[in-house]
Amino acid sequence: MQLEHQLSVPAPIDDVWSAVLDPEKVAPCMPGATLTGVDGDTFTGTVKVKIGPVALTYKGTGEFVEKDEAARKVVLLAKAKDTRGNGTVDATITITLTENGENTDGVVATDLTITGKPAQFGRGMISDVGGKIIEQFTACLSKKLGPAVEEPVPAAEPAAPAAAEAAAPVATPEAVAPAPAATQAPVAPTPEVEPLDLMQYARGSAIKRILPVVGVAAILVLVLVVLRRLLGSRE
């Protein structure tokens, strides 16, 4: 299955190129994905997928097999398998970046082979779902690489009067209490990644495909009703 999608990031091409080659930076931008390890050009991870009430977890590996910095093209091989043995995903992903002023445009070409429950969506719907995933990925990457928004600096409080300082008692070395020992702040736990809800992503695409069928069915019903009335009036 051949798929192609476009992306555009409001950041210099050098920054986007470096980010694309850094799994630790781009993995959090992929819906449902969790990076579990990086070893050179190879990395491992999991992707949680939800299809209605059915939850699937894919474990797999990815490998950068081509990095053409001059052409700004990277080729990635990815293989994953459902932990319950219900399906597999094999993909060759080619990302080509081009400079567009202060922005960076890109083409994501995917040669995808998929088995199991997600394959029931068909090529058209999978392409639509892929497009929405790319949109979310691009928005996340734009937030990471785009220009930072400057926060307003709070106004400085007025200095205390000098007289108040003079009136304050001076602490002697004996009266100074020992400073408490520094404690290390607890590390916040990593939030659990929400699964990629394929039904939610495909809902708009499904409605687009169903509406024409519903419209034709409504017209047929209307024609049948009119014909029945005409035949009844003749009798």
Side-chain angles (χ1 to χ4, degrees):
M1 185 184 305
Q2 303 289 334
L3 306 174
E4 185 173 301
H5 300 94
Q6 312 290 326
L7 62 83
S8 181
V9 181
I13 192 169
D14 290 339
D15 294 347
V16 179
W17 173 255
S18 297
V20 168
L21 300 180
D22 185 356
E24 295 184 3
K25 182 171 290 188
V26 299
C29 289
M30 293 301 296
T34 300
L35 186 69
T36 57
V38 179
D39 184 10
D41 288 338
T42 304
F43 57 90
T44 59
T46 63
V47 178
K48 295 182 178 180
V49 178
K50 182 180 178 183
I51 307 176
V54 180
L56 305 174
T57 299
Y58 288 87
K59 289 186 177 181
T61 61
E63 181 183 1
F64 293 101
V65 295
E66 181 181 346
K67 297 178 182 179
D68 189 341
E69 186 173 1
R72 300 296 190 183
K73 184 179 79 170
V74 59
V75 180
L76 169 68
L77 296 181
K79 295 179 179 291
K81 184 178 181 180
D82 174 41
T83 55
R84 299 177 183 176
N86 293 325
T88 61
V89 176
D90 293 307
T92 301
I93 305 169
T94 302
I95 303 175
T96 306
L97 303 177
T98 55
E99 190 172 10
N100 183 9
E102 297 181 354
N103 299 336
T104 300
D105 296 338
V107 177
V108 182
T110 307
D111 185 356
L112 179 67
T113 301
I114 185 169
T115 65
K117 292 183 180 297
Q120 67 186 355
F121 286 95
R123 183 190 183 283
M125 198 170 293
I126 288 178
S127 178
D128 292 344
V129 171
K132 293 178 182 178
I133 292 174
I134 292 295
E135 288 178 6
Q136 185 170 334
F137 169 80
T138 303
C140 175
L141 197 61
S142 299
K143 187 176 180 181
K144 285 178 175 289
L145 301 180
V149 179
E150 295 184 0
E151 297 183 358
V153 179
E157 296 183 0
E165 294 181 1
V170 178
T172 60
E174 292 79 3
V176 176
T183 58
Q184 185 176 5
V187 179
T190 303
E192 185 176 355
V193 176
E194 290 292 330
L196 171 61
D197 192 339
L198 293 183
M199 296 301 294
Q200 178 181 356
Y201 278 86
R203 187 172 294 128
S205 177
I207 291 175
K208 290 179 182 178
R209 287 166 169 76
I210 292 172
L211 281 179
V213 178
V214 173
V216 172
I219 293 173
L220 290 175
V221 171
L222 181 61
V223 171
L224 289 175
V225 170
V226 172
L227 287 176
R228 289 182 64 180
R229 288 185 178 180
L230 288 174
L231 292 174
S233 61
R234 291 180 181 180
E235 294 176 356

